[in-house]
Amino acid sequence: MSPVSSSRSARPGPASSGPKTPGRRPWLTPGSKQTAFAWAILLPALLILAIFRFLPMLEAFYLSFTDYDLISPPRWVGLQNFIDLTQDPLFLKSVQVSLIYVSCSVIPVIPLSLGLAILFNRALLARNFLRSAIFMPVVMPAVVMAVVWTFMYQQDGVMNTILGWVGIDPVPWLRSSSTALWSVIMIGIWRAVPYYMVIFLAGLQAIPRDYYDAAKIDGAGSWATFRYITLPLLKPTMLLVVVMNVIVAMKVFAVPMIMTGGGPGDATRVLPLFIYQTAFEFFDMGKASAMSVVMFAILMAFAFIQVRLFTRKEEQ
Amino acid sequence: MPSDVSAPVSNGKPGRLRRLIAARAEGEALRKGNLLVLAVLLLVAVVALLPFYWMLSSSLRMPDQMFANPVQWIPNPINWASYPEAWGAQNFGRYFFNSSVVAVLITLGNLLFCSLAAYSLTKFRFRGRHLSFMLILSTMMLPLEITMVPLFLIVNSFGWTNSYQGLVVPFLVEGFGVFLMRQYMLSIPTDVIEAARIDGASELRIFWMIVMPLCKPALVALAIFTFREAWDLYIWPLVIITDDALRTLPLGISLFMSGYGTAWDQVMAIAVLGTLPMALLFFFLQRAFIQGIAGTGLK
């Protein structure tokens, strides 16, 4: 290593995020021409994200303090939209529906997808065929899934036929406000489990075999191996899966929109659906923006809790 | 950690062999365990595939036997007419074309812009690099569902409602794509690039001829991930498209369902056709497809 690059890698700060393989220089030799090039190729991405992500987010914050119906210009109303929201039973119900949707789809998906990944992480007859078969729901477009499951959930549909085989009375699925949300959650799980199974499987296969061999020599049982080797080493994957899953569940829209339109009553009106209706059916952009800000806050809170949960475990 | 996107799900020969040998050695007990595992996985596979089978068989069933009791698992007689009837009921050829254009353009845009940005962030040192990366990453916390109201106002002010630009441009870069490409590029040796430089290759040429080919596994992963998401886009076209000639397939399907909801054979026929592109992609690129999704989970 040249003295120049070694002194550079010793410097603290941003450089530490690069790979630290000894003998391999992480950075190209800097020069003003190179820096100009670096900015030039970074700019398209930054520009597009600035215009279509950051600008809208800032504008959402601004609009949430206004009354705006698309016709007359936005009128500043201060916190009025947020005050209204706290007293709006439809909004509170929508938040509740979204929170139920997120927690009840994320919590079962983790053990189910991890369990399947563990079952697949071994020599097995027809392993690739089974994996591909179980992966298929990921391939089905969301809108198609909504349409097909609406059909299967019909009163005389195939789901009730199958329940009949085991002696269960027909379930009203999407037609009753007490079962509609669960029906929607179930198919969300149906499509999410294979997706995260594959991610967990990748995480499992990245764990060096030697760890398991060593555990076996030490006489560790399969539970102990799972608890003290697999689980800790899988923690980064686990965090990623939970974070991704929460975001995906929080923004679910197409499925409830197509299957129930938010009903019956308001049983499946998740937050994005309510935002959409407020903005594009009632043209209340200010209120819709205030809801968006609340949704953003909920996502942030989830992210904060997740990171805290996972780092605290690490300290033990 | 720089890790190889292609590594995880692949059945690396040595590992597989070792595991097979280990399985043999453990003898009867394990084989019995494996049989149980096999039974569980078969059951899960049935649950995963049932809606596919039901969609296909229902599209071919006669309408008057749709809810027949006992259930008609194999359609008899076969009702091929549902396909041309459904296809002709709406402008589905056009919707397919629109969805393909939009999904392909969004995918190409992400491959190019995410790679460029990731290359800049991994191999060059300049002020603001770290901040830029953090900003790009933070967009992963800003899903469309949160920003759609102002985004609609912005796109509307460009005059882009009812246009391909409006459907494509906002999604040409995804923070997640930059992240994915960056993780992969960290593992590309800088010496190779430096050597090309000494040989007098231009910066753009180095990127195009050396960096991009080295990133092929990550590019495949990103392409599959992005295409799937773009093919699925629903809420955004619903917001900005009212012109029938610009509707995408998901819009067409949901519209058809609300209009022809009781003609289940036709609705299922359209559902089959709407699944076909992704299913074919999966069929021919099975390993790449699964690795693509798995690759998105790499830290």
Side-chain angles (χ1 to χ4, degrees):
Chain A
M1 229 186 198
S2 69
V4 179
S5 61
S6 62
S7 72
R8 189 186 300 154
S9 61
R11 208 180 287 165
S16 61
S17 64
K20 278 168 250 152
T21 328
R24 187 195 274 177
R25 284 171 304 158
W27 311 110
L28 290 166
T29 316
S32 59
K33 230 174 107 186
Q34 279 76 18
T35 305
F37 177 76
W39 273 111
I41 61 174
L42 181 60
L43 217 56
L46 279 183
L47 218 59
I48 290 172
L49 290 176
I51 297 172
F52 298 107
R53 295 296 143 88
F54 291 118
L55 195 61
M57 195 62 230
L58 293 178
E59 202 174 331
F61 278 113
Y62 163 67
L63 284 175
S64 69
F65 295 110
T66 66
D67 184 17
Y68 184 36
D69 59 2
L70 286 181
I71 300 161
S72 43
R75 191 170 54 85
W76 186 266
V77 294
L79 284 170
Q80 196 55 48
N81 283 325
F82 292 98
I83 295 167
D84 288 349
L85 285 184
T86 60
Q87 283 147 10
D88 181 353
L90 289 179
F91 173 73
L92 296 178
K93 171 78 183 180
S94 180
V95 170
Q96 187 196 349
V97 168
S98 261
L99 290 180
I100 293 175
Y101 185 93
V102 171
S103 44
C104 292
S105 37
V106 173
I107 292 168
V109 162
I110 303 298
L112 284 175
S113 49
L114 178 58
L116 280 175
I118 288 171
L119 292 186
F120 268 117
N121 193 28
R122 64 169 78 193
L124 198 70
L125 194 69
R127 182 169 173 270
N128 284 343
F129 170 78
L130 280 171
R131 194 187 64 197
S132 289
I134 292 176
F135 188 73
M136 281 301 278
V138 177
V139 173
M140 191 182 263
V143 170
V144 170
M145 172 176 79
V147 167
V148 170
W149 278 92
T150 305
F151 176 50
M152 293 173 63
Y153 278 150
Q154 293 294 303
Q155 192 64 26
D156 311 320
V158 71
M159 287 301 281
N160 277 339
T161 307
I162 292 170
L163 287 187
W165 292 347
V166 285
I168 298 175
D169 287 335
V171 171
W173 303 112
L174 300 172
R175 302 170 81 194
S176 153
S177 54
S178 59
T179 51
L181 182 58
W182 304 108
S183 309
V184 173
I185 287 174
M186 256 172 52
I187 69 166
I189 294 174
W190 177 76
R191 195 166 183 247
V193 164
Y195 191 99
Y196 297 110
M197 169 190 88
V198 167
I199 290 179
F200 272 129
L201 194 53
L204 283 175
Q205 291 180 341
I207 298 175
R209 225 38 229 165
D210 306 348
Y211 289 15
Y212 292 108
D213 294 343
K216 195 175 274 175
I217 291 166
D218 290 346
S222 48
W223 169 250
T225 314
F226 175 75
R227 172 71 185 80
Y228 295 106
I229 295 178
T230 311
L231 221 46
L233 287 171
L234 218 51
K235 203 188 285 166
T237 315
M238 188 80 84
L239 177 64
L240 188 89
V241 166
V242 174
V243 170
M244 276 173 81
N245 208 343
V246 165
I247 295 178
V248 169
M250 196 68 208
K251 58 184 234 177
V252 68
F253 175 82
V255 169
M257 175 78 180
I258 291 166
M259 294 183 84
T260 61
D266 44 21
T268 55
R269 194 193 281 135
V270 289
L271 212 38
L273 190 52
F274 200 26
I275 295 174
Y276 172 82
Q277 288 174 337
T278 309
F280 300 106
E281 285 173 18
F282 300 105
F283 301 104
D284 195 342
M285 298 295 165
K287 194 175 158 200
S289 297
M291 290 182 195
S292 304
V293 170
V294 172
M295 184 172 155
F296 180 66
I298 294 175
L299 262 186
M300 284 294 159
F302 267 124
F304 182 74
I305 293 169
Q306 285 153 10
V307 171
R308 276 301 290 270
L309 225 64
F310 277 84
T311 46
R312 193 187 302 156
K313 266 187 198 155
E314 205 150 23
E315 281 156 15
Q316 281 177 0
Chain B
M1 292 296 111
S3 30
D4 184 354
V5 175
S6 70
V9 184
S10 70
N11 304 303
K13 272 274 154 50
R16 194 183 204 190
L17 203 66
R18 261 171 82 185
R19 255 172 276 164
L20 271 172
I21 293 166
R24 282 263 164 74
E26 292 198 14
E28 201 62 31
L30 194 85
R31 231 169 284 162
K32 259 182 200 155
N34 262 355
L35 219 58
L36 186 71
V37 169
L38 211 59
V40 171
L41 291 179
L42 267 174
L43 189 73
V44 176
V46 168
V47 173
L49 293 179
L50 177 75
F52 285 87
Y53 179 76
W54 196 245
M55 166 174 80
L56 191 65
S57 71
S58 301
S59 73
L60 297 171
R61 197 177 298 121
M62 296 304 287
D64 57 335
Q65 285 163 335
M66 205 49 75
F67 298 104
N69 192 10
V71 176
Q72 206 183 55
W73 287 99
I74 298 166
N76 180 35
I78 287 191
N79 166 31
W80 293 107
S82 58
Y83 283 81
E85 277 169 15
W87 186 263
Q90 275 180 238
N91 211 349
F92 278 110
R94 182 74 200 204
Y95 305 158
F96 258 96
F97 174 77
N98 291 339
S99 267
S100 309
V101 168
V102 168
V104 166
L105 288 179
I106 289 176
T107 306
L108 290 178
N110 272 279
L111 289 180
L112 180 65
F113 295 130
C114 294
S115 310
L116 281 173
Y119 181 49
S120 169
L121 292 171
T122 39
K123 295 298 176 192
F124 294 87
R125 278 190 75 196
F126 52 92
R127 283 175 81 87
R129 183 187 57 87
H130 197 65
L131 180 70
S132 303
F133 183 56
M134 291 327 283
L135 281 174
I136 289 174
L137 263 194
S138 69
T139 60
M140 286 163 72
M141 291 300 286
L142 297 177
L144 178 70
E145 287 68 15
I146 289 178
T147 54
M148 69 179 160
V149 174
L151 186 62
F152 166 75
L153 299 175
I154 290 168
V155 166
N156 193 30
S157 71
F158 292 171
W160 283 4
T161 47
N162 283 317
S163 75
Y164 284 121
Q165 303 92 286
L167 284 172
V168 170
V169 178
F171 306 103
L172 282 178
V173 179
E174 216 56 68
F176 177 71
V178 178
F179 173 72
L180 186 71
M181 292 311 296
R182 178 183 174 274
Q183 293 307 94
Y184 194 81
M185 283 186 186
L186 286 174
S187 67
I188 293 180
T190 308
D191 300 345
V192 180
I193 302 165
E194 202 83 83
R197 240 190 213 176
I198 292 165
D199 290 347
S202 73
E203 294 293 335
L204 214 55
R205 199 178 147 81
I206 294 173
F207 171 75
W208 198 250
M209 305 295 286
I210 295 172
V211 178
M212 284 299 255
L214 284 173
C215 286
K216 209 178 140 204
L219 288 171
V220 171
L222 181 61
I224 287 169
F225 179 82
T226 310
F227 188 85
R228 176 180 174 268
E229 297 272 300
W231 190 261
D232 246 19
L233 274 181
Y234 178 70
I235 191 169
W236 183 243
L238 191 66
V239 168
I240 67 157
I241 299 297
T242 48
D243 180 358
D244 185 58
L246 282 160
R247 284 208 173 100
T248 56
L249 192 62
L251 283 188
I253 293 177
S254 69
L255 199 72
F256 188 67
M257 158 115 160
S258 50
Y260 293 75
T262 46
W264 285 111
D265 58 325
Q266 293 183 36
V267 175
M268 289 303 113
I270 280 302
V272 170
L273 294 176
T275 312
L276 217 52
M278 293 308 289
L280 287 177
L281 201 67
F282 178 57
F283 187 78
F284 288 113
L285 294 170
Q286 229 170 93
R287 269 186 62 173
F289 204 114
I290 293 181
Q291 281 165 19
I293 299 299
T296 61
L298 292 177
K299 282 284 282 181

